[in-house]
Amino acid sequence: MSNKTRLFPFNGHRTRARSLESFIDIKKVFPRLKLKRNDVFMDAGCGDGHVSILAQKMLEDDAVAYARHSYQPSIEDLEKDVQRRGIINIVPIQRI
């Protein structure tokens, strides 16, 4: 693992920056977004996908959450995580 990559013990995902999970309580922020249960959600700079996974839980089964990040190892980890959890409506996207 390079010195630019960190492992966060609370989720094990590889990321180059501090996880949003470590300093913002998304469960308090999400109600302010007033998402409708069938809205499309975009998590730009998704990192470990923590926000995308919480959004997916708030939306209906046929709604889609797009999780976009430029760091491929984070996207790879998220892809494995959603597969392991059986989540089919989160779409991980890697862009440079």
Side-chain angles (χ1 to χ4, degrees), residues 17-67:
R18 194 169 153 197
S19 174
L20 188 64
E21 183 179 9
S22 66
F23 62 97
I24 293 179
D25 186 350
I26 293 301
K27 291 177 184 175
K28 290 181 180 178
V29 173
F30 258 59
R32 293 178 178 199
L33 297 177
K34 300 185 191 303
L35 292 174
K36 297 178 189 81
R37 294 189 54 81
N38 62 350
D39 280 348
V40 173
F41 181 79
M42 171 76 168
D43 184 4
C46 68
D48 62 12
H50 172 73
V51 172
S52 298
I53 291 169
L54 288 175
Q56 179 269 333
K57 289 178 182 178
M58 294 179 66
L59 300 171
E60 292 184 16
D61 290 341
D62 60 345
V64 177
Y66 293 93

Side-chain angles (χ1 to χ4, degrees), residues 8 10-11 13-15 19-21 45-51 53 69 74 77-78 81:
F8 288 99
F10 52 83
N11 64 16
H13 286 233
R14 295 169 288 176
T15 181
S19 174
L20 188 64
E21 183 179 9
C46 68
D48 62 12
H50 172 73
V51 172
I53 291 169
H69 201 77
S74 291
D77 290 344
L78 179 57
D81 198 16

